[in-house]
Amino acid sequence: RPQGTNEALEKAQRRLKEVQDEIAKIENKKADLEKKAQKPGVKGSMAKNELEQLLTADPTDFNRALISAEAAVRAAAKLKGDSPAGALWWVERELTELKKYKPQSKGGISRH
C-alpha cells in the first residue's frame, strides 16, 4: 500500500544526508592520513601535520549544518503530515547519531 509523503520530512532527510556526507568525508580523510602518518620521513611528518590540522579545524560549518538539520526535523515533527510510519523516528535516530560527532560542551552526546 502506498505511503504518504511529507515535504518537510524529505527536506530534513536531505539536510541529514548532507551532514552525514560531510562526516563520512572527514572520517575517510582522517583514516587515510592516519595510515600515511605511519610512514617514516617527510611524507609521514606531512601526514601527521595534516591530521592535526584536520582534528583541530574549526567545526563552525559542521555545527551550522547540524543545527539546520535539527531544525528541519523539529519542523517535520510538528507538521504530522502524511509521513510514512516510522520515518520521523528514523530521522530523529540519525540525528542522535550525528550529535555524537559534536563536542559535549556544544550540545553533543557521548559516543558510548
Side-chain angles (χ1 to χ4, degrees):
R1 105 189 127 160
Q3 298 287 320
T5 59
N6 183 339
E7 192 170 321
L9 184 60
E10 291 174 3
K11 180 180 175 184
Q13 288 174 327
R14 282 193 302 271
R15 291 217 174 147
L16 281 175
K17 178 74 171 131
E18 291 171 5
V19 174
Q20 288 172 335
D21 291 343
E22 184 67 27
I23 288 174
K25 185 174 82 171
I26 291 170
E27 289 295 322
N28 289 338
K29 187 172 182 177
K30 180 179 162 185
D32 184 46
L33 288 172
E34 285 174 342
K35 188 175 13 172
K36 287 180 181 179
Q38 300 299 321
K39 294 181 181 179
V42 175
K43 288 187 179 185
S45 297
M46 284 177 28
K48 287 177 189 175
N49 185 6
E50 282 186 51
L51 182 61
E52 280 300 313
Q53 289 178 17
L54 179 68
L55 295 176
T56 59
D58 184 24
T60 302
D61 292 333
F62 170 73
N63 290 340
R64 184 178 297 124
L66 186 58
I67 290 170
S68 295
E70 289 174 0
V73 169
R74 285 192 304 269
K78 287 181 182 178
L79 289 180
K80 299 281 187 192
D82 295 331
S83 60
L88 184 60
W89 176 87
W90 192 254
V91 170
E92 288 176 349
R93 178 65 185 153
E94 288 176 340
L95 187 60
T96 302
E97 289 297 317
L98 292 176
K99 284 184 179 180
K100 291 180 181 180
Y101 287 90
K102 194 172 181 181
Q104 288 183 6
S105 63
K106 304 283 184 184
I109 58 174
S110 175
R111 290 187 185 191
H112 297 80

